């Protein structure tokens, strides 16, 4: 009987040791909980804000709102989309304005969380960042001085001409690829290229047709050509760091929702009118 009792007590002690060890392991695991969220999603949630990179001077996608008290607020189609994404994530929105050329490098270095600036998701750009679904389509055309309206009938008529472009954009790429011997003048903003056009320093400026239509409303000395670049696709999409699938999923949901409810079309109309009003002040 004593031997049986001793065996039971010994077993109980050993069991207790295993239970204690199990509790310690569980406690240790709970101090470092595992998560399936991407590093970007964790950063956004922990900071309580979504930092968005954009390049103003591309109305109606993004432009300085001169009606704002400090004159520094940026508005536009892309800003409305960014606001909707921040709302979906339940965080505040912070806008960082920079040159278009700096956008993707700022994204890969973590200066901004996402980039929204009518960015075309080219294969070259996909090597360093990922993209959301397209939220707005557009064709690529050229603007010329009004005095030259009707002078150009085809894209080949621009061969060897001076072409003003915004640096590091799809327009620069298309001009280099599809205009023979083009003399490319690359500048930080579209407005800079258009000034070169107005003063006769370049012969044409390639633009996305929505943006071109915007500038024609406020520049009576410029004209559309109705000439378009070929083999262009992809529209505008949101750029996101690699390995951020959960953030892209949220952005795609926002895009789908706002396409379905007509908000994106409404933003195009509203922001086009607002940009025109801003330009008149």
């Amino acid at each position: 009987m004593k031997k049986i009792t001793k065996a039971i007590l010994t077993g109980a002690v050993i069991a207790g040791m295993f239970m204690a060890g199990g509790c310690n392991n569980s406690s240790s695991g709970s101090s470092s909980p595992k998560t399936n969220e991407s590093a970007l999603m964790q950063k956004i949630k922990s900071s309580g804000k979504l930092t968005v990179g954009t390049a103003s001077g591309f109305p109606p996608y993004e432009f300085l709102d001169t009606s704002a008290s400090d004159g520094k607020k940026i508005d536009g189609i892309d800003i409305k989309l960014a606001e909707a994404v921040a709302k979906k994530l339940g965080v505040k929105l912070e806008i960082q304005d920079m040159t278009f050329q700096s956008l993707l490098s700022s994204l890969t270095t973590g200066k901004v969380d996402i980039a929204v600036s009518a960015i075309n998701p080219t294969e070259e750009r996909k090597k360093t960042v990922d993209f959301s679904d397209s939220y707005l389509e557009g064709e690529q055309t050229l603007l010329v001085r009004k005095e030259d309206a009707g002078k150009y009938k085809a894209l080949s008529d621009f061969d060897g001409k001076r072409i003003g472009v915004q640096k590091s954009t799809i327009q620069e790429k298309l001009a280099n690829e599809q205009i023979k011997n083009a003399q490319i003048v690359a500048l930080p903003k579209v407005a800079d290229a258009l000034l070169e056009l107005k003063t006769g320093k370049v012969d044409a400026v390639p633009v996305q047709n929505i943006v071109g239509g915007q500038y024609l409303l406020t520049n009576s000395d410029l004209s559309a050509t109705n000439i378009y670049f070929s083999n262009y696709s992809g529209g505008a999409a949101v750029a996101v760091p690699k390995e951020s699938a959960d953030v892209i999923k949220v952005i795609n949901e926002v895009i789908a929702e706002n396409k379905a409810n007509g908000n994106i079309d409404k933003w195009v109309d509203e922001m086009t009118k607002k940009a025109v009003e801003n330009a008149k002040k």
Side-chain angles (χ1 to χ4, degrees):
M1 185 68 177
K2 287 181 180 179
K3 289 182 180 180
I4 294 173
T5 302
K6 185 177 180 180
I8 292 172
L9 289 172
T10 301
V13 170
I14 293 170
M17 290 171 65
F18 277 113
M19 289 178 67
C23 289
N24 287 337
N25 289 338
S26 175
S27 175
S28 174
S30 63
S31 65
S32 302
K34 290 184 179 180
T35 176
N36 291 323
E37 290 182 343
S38 67
L40 178 60
M41 183 66 84
Q42 292 179 60
K43 177 189 173 187
I44 293 168
K45 287 184 175 180
S46 63
S47 66
K49 68 180 179 181
L50 176 68
T51 304
V52 176
T54 195
S56 63
F58 203 64
Y61 285 91
E62 43 269 327
F63 53 90
L64 285 174
D65 181 4
T66 56
S67 65
S69 57
D70 61 359
K72 294 181 180 179
K73 180 186 174 185
I74 300 172
D75 209 349
I77 300 164
D78 288 342
I79 307 306
K80 296 301 178 189
L81 177 60
E83 288 172 353
V85 172
K87 184 177 180 181
K88 184 86 167 180
L89 289 166
V91 296
K92 294 179 180 179
L93 176 65
E94 179 182 290
I95 301 293
Q96 295 277 349
D97 190 20
M98 58 190 69
T99 64
F100 191 88
Q101 187 182 14
S102 303
L103 279 175
L104 297 191
S105 60
S106 295
L107 192 63
T108 55
T109 57
K111 184 177 179 181
V112 298
D113 299 325
I114 65 174
V116 191
S117 197
I119 305 171
N120 181 254
T122 64
E123 292 305 313
E124 185 65 27
R125 289 170 180 164
K126 287 178 182 177
K127 293 176 183 178
T128 55
V129 299
D130 287 333
F131 287 93
S132 70
D133 294 336
S134 172
Y135 58 89
L136 202 55
E137 298 291 335
E139 295 181 285
Q140 303 295 332
T141 185
L142 297 104
L143 299 184
V144 296
R145 289 181 293 278
K146 198 160 193 174
E147 62 199 62
D148 291 334
K151 177 179 177 180
Y152 303 97
K153 306 295 184 184
L155 196 60
S156 59
D157 292 337
F158 292 100
D159 289 355
K161 298 295 184 182
R162 294 163 299 170
I163 308 297
V165 298
Q166 183 180 25
K167 192 176 291 185
S168 300
T169 60
I170 187 66
Q171 290 82 19
E172 181 179 13
K173 181 175 185 290
L174 290 171
N176 271 310
E177 290 177 348
Q178 299 187 32
I179 299 177
K180 278 186 181 181
N181 304 313
Q183 300 176 50
I184 301 296
V185 179
L187 299 159
K189 292 183 178 291
V190 175
D192 299 330
L194 291 174
L195 182 59
E196 296 286 280
L197 176 62
K198 289 157 75 79
T199 55
K201 294 178 181 177
V202 299
D203 301 299
V205 173
V207 291
Q208 200 242 41
N209 62 335
I210 295 174
V211 176
Q214 175 74 68
Y215 277 110
L216 288 176
L217 290 172
T218 54
N219 292 273
S220 59
D221 51 348
L222 298 182
S223 176
T225 60
N226 293 319
I227 297 170
Y228 297 91
F229 289 93
S230 61
N231 302 320
Y232 166 78
S233 63
V238 180
V240 182
K242 291 285 187 182
E243 300 180 4
S244 305
D246 49 356
V247 177
I248 291 178
K249 182 174 182 291
V250 172
I251 296 170
N252 285 342
E253 288 172 359
V254 170
I255 290 170
E257 289 166 6
N258 286 281
K259 275 186 175 180
N261 63 21
N263 274 347
I264 290 180
D265 289 336
K266 186 172 79 170
W267 295 339
V268 172
D269 292 339
E270 287 180 350
M271 292 301 106
T272 296
K273 290 175 184 175
K274 186 170 185 178
V276 170
E277 290 169 2
N278 271 246
K280 291 177 179 178
K281 293 179 180 178

